[in-house]
Amino acid sequence: DSGDGWFIDVFMQRAAVFNMPLALSVGTWDKYSSEPIRTDMAFYWWSPDTAFINLRPAPVMFPPNDMSEWARGRKTTDSVKVELRTRVHYAI
C-alpha cells in the first residue's frame, strides 16, 4: 500500500498558486526512494534522512509559515520547522 500521499494537498496548492508545473504521484517506499535516483525530478526530502544525499538536493523556498493561513486551509506558506532530536535513557 502506498498510502494517500503525505502532504499532497500542500504540494497541489503550492503548484497551483505559484504556477509550478508539477506532476504529482503517490507510490510505494521502494518507488519513492528509487525514482529520484533514476530520473532528474523534484522530490520531497527531509533531514537527517540520507536516501538522497548524493543527489545534493536544494530546497524550494516558500514564504515563511503563517499559521493563520494554514488554519484556514491555505497551505502555501512554508510548513512549521520541526527539529528532530535523539534522546536515549541512561539505562539503555
Side-chain angles (χ1 to χ4, degrees):
D1 181 18
S2 57
D4 59 1
W6 187 85
F7 247 42
I8 199 161
D9 61 325
V10 175
F11 298 125
M12 289 189 306
Q13 280 189 33
R14 289 176 180 171
V17 169
F18 297 114
N19 198 27
M20 300 167 66
L22 298 178
L24 303 172
S25 66
V26 178
T28 63
W29 176 255
D30 288 341
K31 279 284 195 188
Y32 173 80
S33 59
S34 65
E35 286 302 311
I37 294 167
R38 289 184 343 97
T39 310
D40 185 17
M41 61 187 288
F43 56 91
Y44 182 82
W45 188 54
W46 60 93
S47 180
D49 180 66
T50 59
F52 304 126
I53 196 78
N54 291 335
L55 299 178
R56 301 182 63 206
V60 175
M61 305 301 289
F62 294 100
N65 179 263
D66 183 338
M67 292 186 79
S68 64
E69 288 283 301
W70 277 67
R72 293 195 328 249
R74 185 176 167 90
K75 301 174 181 177
T76 57
T77 61
D78 205 0
S79 53
V80 175
K81 300 295 181 208
V82 176
E83 184 175 338
L84 299 178
R85 295 178 181 247
T86 301
R87 301 192 188 269
V88 179
H89 191 274
Y90 72 92
I92 295 179

